[in-house]
Amino acid sequence: MAVFPAALVLHVSDAGRAAQFWTQALGYERQQGAPDFLVPPSGEGLRLHLDEADRTHLDLWADRDSPGWEAEVERLVALGATRVPWVYPEDADFVVLSDPEGNLFCVIG
């Protein structure tokens, strides 16, 4: 089991303006049905999520259905990550951690 960087959540004040800039700057496209998600035209690679409410952070993806998903979170904690107190929705598919420097990131299953 491993995690991989799947998305960068970028805090913006105007998602439309940011999307116009970043699609042109990176050659990305707006994701069908989710215009605040920008994706490479190939569909493979790091997504950019433009969010007016959330802080800038990295999203790491893991296979939540695998029995090792929680073990992967614990592996990151053993490496120096810290669990961040968070109010999770009942059907949360993520865990919020911080790296040793205090930068937030999510592990998403």
Side-chain angles (χ1 to χ4, degrees):
M1 157 107 13
V3 293
F4 62 94
L8 175 63
V9 179
L10 187 62
H11 175 77
V12 298
S13 61
D14 182 331
R17 182 179 64 208
Q20 184 176 6
F21 173 80
W22 285 112
T23 54
Q24 294 176 21
L26 300 175
Y28 274 32
E29 301 170 345
R30 288 181 165 201
Q31 183 173 318
Q32 189 81 352
D36 293 342
F37 285 89
L38 309 181
V39 294
S42 69
E44 295 185 22
L46 191 70
R47 294 186 328 166
L48 185 61
H49 177 193
L50 307 173
D51 196 312
E52 295 177 2
D54 208 349
R55 296 188 226 176
T56 295
H57 66 275
L58 187 62
D59 282 347
L60 305 177
W61 285 3
D63 181 4
R64 188 168 182 103
D65 294 329
S66 165
W69 186 84
E70 184 63 30
E72 188 62 26
V73 171
E74 292 307 321
R75 182 184 76 84
L76 295 168
V77 169
L79 291 172
T82 304
R83 287 181 181 266
V84 174
W86 204 263
V87 178
Y88 292 97
E90 192 171 307
D91 59 348
D93 65 347
F94 64 97
V95 174
V96 180
L97 302 173
S98 66
D99 71 11
E101 296 292 319
N103 299 300
L104 295 182
F105 65 98
C106 293
V107 178
I108 301 173

